[in-house]
Amino acid sequence: MDSLAMIRACLERLPDGPVMADVGGVPDGYARAMVESARGQNVHHVRVREGRIDRYSVRTASFCNWQAIQHAVMGNIVADFPVINKSLDLSYAGGTDL
């Protein structure tokens, strides 16, 4: 409820005027952005062709860090797996493309 109240307060304070602006045509090409997150580096890649997004991909930090699980569990018993797994705090949604 607090979150909704904050959103409503922000919306009420928005200045009058258009909420979108025409920026003209988007040039064809590629762009890559790297952002540091709590789990490591996230990489976003976009390709624009004929003014439209042709390809967009995201590589999450969890995607790379899932590879470490197999090394982290070596020599431990099965009961230790949940603790090891959560100590890396990996996102299941971010590592499903392995």
Side-chain angles (χ1 to χ4, degrees), residues 29-32 44-58:
Y30 300 88
R32 180 173 291 152
H44 297 257
H45 180 83
V46 65
R47 179 172 69 188
V48 176
R49 280 192 181 167
E50 299 175 6
R52 294 180 175 262
I53 295 175
D54 179 58
R55 183 169 293 214
Y56 179 76
S57 64
V58 178

Side-chain angles (χ1 to χ4, degrees), residues 1-11 13:
M1 297 310 289
D2 288 339
S3 296
L4 289 174
M6 288 171 53
I7 291 169
R8 284 188 183 114
C10 288
L11 289 173
R13 293 186 189 120

Side-chain angles (χ1 to χ4, degrees), residues 9-72:
C10 288
L11 289 173
E12 290 170 0
R13 293 186 189 120
L14 281 176
D16 290 336
V19 294
M20 289 179 34
D22 184 13
V23 294
V26 177
D28 289 356
Y30 300 88
R32 180 173 291 152
M34 292 172 254
V35 181
E36 191 66 27
S37 71
R39 294 180 182 98
Q41 187 181 66
N42 293 317
V43 179
H44 297 257
H45 180 83
V46 65
R47 179 172 69 188
V48 176
R49 280 192 181 167
E50 299 175 6
R52 294 180 175 262
I53 295 175
D54 179 58
R55 183 169 293 214
Y56 179 76
S57 64
V58 178
R59 192 210 66 204
T60 67
S62 290
F63 179 86
C64 297
N65 292 334
W66 272 109
Q67 309 299 322
I69 284 284
Q70 65 182 337
H71 301 288

